[in-house]
Amino acid sequence: MLLKKEKGQLIVLSGPSGVGKSTVIAELLGQRPDIYFSVSYTTRKPRVGEQNGVNYNFVSREEFERMIADDELLEHAEYVNNYYGTSMKAIQDRLDAGIDVLLDIEVQGAAKVKARCPKALFIFIIPPSFEELSRRLHNRNTDSEEVIQGRLSKARTEFKEIPNYDYLVINDKVANAVNEIESILTAAACKVENRSKILTQFT
Amino acid sequence: MLLKKEKGQLIVLSGPSGVGKSTVIAELLGQRPDIYFSVSYTTRKPRVGEQNGVNYNFVSREEFERMIADDELLEHAEYVNNYYGTSMKAIQDRLDAGIDVLLDIEVQGAAKVKARCPKALFIFIIPPSFEELSRRLHNRNTDSEEVIQGRLSKARTEFKEIPNYDYLVINDKVANAVNEIESILTAAACKVENRSKILTQFT
């Protein structure tokens, strides 16, 4: 493309556990290193292998509650007694600088972002079928049958929120899903409203 | 992509004379032979090299007026005493069969299509700059300076209609313009409303 993006695009990505979202995101960021992936804040303890600033920004409950009080979070939620949230400032600075920002958040978080940034791109990743989602969760060999059934049940609840999203990307193969997301981003950059700067020289 | 398109997408392409629209369309159709390019109807006489059914469907004034009377045209207009128009049936049949249909029409025709098919994708192709448009028209070596100035003046009028379009594609290089259009089509196919069929199995 000839032109630098006029302003960064906020991209919200959701999808059920087991759909392969992390792999899709890794592949997308490999092909589009210009995208800033927003690392969430959490009060839960790091698991083995997790790095601060990479998987999460790990902070104390005190610090997290201060961020809430100072309205520093674009969205936040509490699960199993731990807070999870997205810093507003880190995102806003990048968007202002014309950098696209990618958020990987759950459906409730996405709904909160939509309330504050209705112009963000809301993308939901689905598996090619429900059976395939179940197969992928079983193939991980990490969770008990009970945990897997819990994830599948949660997925059904999450699917109900799809009408709040703009785009549905099918992760049949990672390359296809990444291609669809890249097309969605390119198309968004081509929207007349996002090319107002070049337009001024013609009108 | 895994899924057959659930219904065809109507694509309306406009752009000023000299922007390179025909080259972009030829390249796009080469890469996407599944797209049906709608050939317009006209009452003007074929020019040397023009083929009936390829460049235009050449019909008599009588036949064209019958088509108008029978409401067979999606849009039509009269220029320099000749009619130009788009057959509704040829398009509708393809869309119903899930085939994407591409229309190459002027801004007035596009406005008429928008009134009847607001969900069509409206794409306007611009040159990287106004100077470049002038350069391309001069480089053709086919038109007098007066004709070129007329085309540039018409282009300025057409640019005023851009806010009625969804997407602005910059034809700096044909490959870039084609890539942008292909991304717009892929993104449209990913819209939640266009994937309602696969969605039914998840909800």
Side-chain angles (χ1 to χ4, degrees):
Chain A
M1 229 158 344
L2 196 78
L3 293 179
K4 195 177 151 298
K5 204 107 24 50
E6 293 176 34
K7 216 198 159 193
Q9 178 75 59
L10 183 59
I11 310 142
V12 176
L13 217 60
S14 304
S17 174
V19 79
K21 201 170 32 148
S22 319
T23 315
V24 168
I25 289 175
E27 187 71 22
L28 175 70
L29 296 176
Q31 289 184 31
R32 287 282 311 270
D34 57 303
I35 295 176
Y36 171 74
F37 180 65
S38 164
V39 177
S40 298
Y41 285 73
T42 185
T43 56
R44 87 152 159 74
K45 297 280 165 285
R47 292 181 193 142
V48 177
E50 283 186 338
Q51 291 175 54
N52 189 30
V54 176
N55 305 86
Y56 283 100
N57 294 302
F58 295 99
V59 295
S60 66
R61 201 169 176 87
E62 229 172 15
E63 170 63 4
F64 201 102
E65 284 172 348
R66 186 204 59 75
M67 292 171 84
I68 297 174
D70 292 350
D71 197 24
E72 290 183 8
L73 299 171
L74 178 59
E75 56 84 28
H76 73 278
E78 196 170 4
Y79 301 104
V80 207
N81 288 322
N82 284 306
Y83 283 124
Y84 295 82
T86 306
S87 159
M88 184 122 59
K89 189 175 182 318
I91 291 173
Q92 192 59 61
D93 288 351
R94 263 84 180 188
L95 292 176
D96 289 346
I99 298 168
D100 291 346
V101 174
L102 178 63
L103 305 184
D104 168 6
I105 44 180
E106 288 201 276
V107 292
Q108 296 96 326
K112 289 179 190 165
V113 175
K114 193 167 187 179
R116 294 178 94 151
C117 315
K119 285 202 163 185
L121 293 176
F122 293 87
I123 303 173
F124 194 96
I125 306 185
I126 54 168
S129 69
F130 201 82
E131 293 64 40
E132 175 60 20
L133 184 66
S134 170
R135 198 153 36 232
R136 288 181 192 175
L137 284 169
H138 282 95
N139 285 350
R140 281 175 168 190
N141 277 325
T142 53
D143 298 319
S144 69
E145 185 60 30
E146 195 187 341
V147 169
I148 290 175
Q149 290 308 322
R151 293 193 194 281
L152 288 172
S153 161
K154 184 154 179 262
R156 286 196 191 276
T157 312
E158 290 169 335
F159 290 143
K160 292 200 172 67
E161 304 302 318
I162 290 176
N164 295 326
Y165 287 75
D166 304 310
Y167 296 100
L168 204 53
V169 160
I170 304 170
N171 187 22
D172 52 343
K173 286 182 180 162
V174 172
N176 291 350
V178 170
N179 176 52
E180 290 193 345
I181 295 172
E182 288 197 292
S183 294
I184 290 165
L185 303 187
T186 300
C190 293
K191 281 184 185 165
V192 169
E193 68 217 56
N194 293 331
R195 288 200 152 155
S196 53
K197 208 177 278 177
I198 188 173
L199 203 49
T200 56
Q201 68 155 310
F202 292 103
T203 49
Chain B
M1 228 159 349
L2 195 81
L3 292 180
K4 195 176 153 297
K5 204 110 20 50
E6 291 177 36
K7 215 199 158 191
Q9 178 75 57
L10 183 60
I11 309 142
V12 175
L13 217 60
S14 303
S17 174
V19 79
K21 200 170 32 152
S22 318
T23 315
V24 168
I25 288 175
E27 187 70 23
L28 175 68
L29 296 176
Q31 289 183 31
R32 288 281 312 267
D34 57 303
I35 295 176
Y36 172 74
F37 180 66
S38 164
V39 177
S40 298
Y41 284 74
T42 185
T43 56
R44 86 154 162 70
K45 297 279 164 287
R47 291 180 193 142
V48 177
E50 283 186 338
Q51 291 175 55
N52 189 30
V54 176
N55 306 88
Y56 284 99
N57 293 305
F58 296 99
V59 296
S60 67
R61 202 170 174 86
E62 230 171 14
E63 169 65 2
F64 202 103
E65 285 172 347
R66 186 203 59 75
M67 291 170 85
I68 297 174
D70 292 350
D71 197 25
E72 290 183 8
L73 298 171
L74 179 58
E75 57 84 29
H76 73 278
E78 195 168 6
Y79 302 105
V80 209
N81 289 324
N82 284 307
Y83 283 124
Y84 295 82
T86 305
S87 160
M88 185 122 60
K89 190 175 180 321
I91 291 173
Q92 192 59 61
D93 288 352
R94 264 84 179 188
L95 293 176
D96 289 346
I99 297 168
D100 291 346
V101 174
L102 178 64
L103 305 183
D104 168 8
I105 44 179
E106 287 201 277
V107 291
Q108 297 96 325
K112 288 179 191 167
V113 174
K114 194 168 186 177
R116 294 178 94 150
C117 315
K119 287 203 161 184
L121 293 177
F122 293 87
I123 304 173
F124 195 96
I125 306 187
I126 55 170
S129 70
F130 201 82
E131 294 64 40
E132 175 61 19
L133 184 65
S134 171
R135 199 156 32 236
R136 287 180 192 177
L137 285 168
H138 282 94
N139 285 351
R140 279 176 170 190
N141 276 325
T142 52
D143 298 320
S144 69
E145 185 59 29
E146 196 188 338
V147 168
I148 290 175
Q149 290 307 322
R151 293 193 195 281
L152 288 172
S153 162
K154 186 157 178 257
R156 286 197 192 277
T157 314
E158 290 170 335
F159 290 144
K160 291 199 174 68
E161 305 302 318
I162 289 176
N164 295 325
Y165 287 75
D166 304 309
Y167 296 99
L168 204 52
V169 160
I170 304 170
N171 187 23
D172 53 342
K173 286 182 179 161
V174 173
N176 291 350
V178 170
N179 176 52
E180 291 192 345
I181 295 173
E182 289 197 293
S183 295
I184 291 165
L185 303 187
T186 300
C190 293
K191 282 184 186 166
V192 169
E193 68 216 57
N194 293 331
R195 288 198 150 158
S196 52
K197 209 176 278 177
I198 188 173
L199 203 48
T200 55
Q201 66 157 308
F202 292 104
T203 49

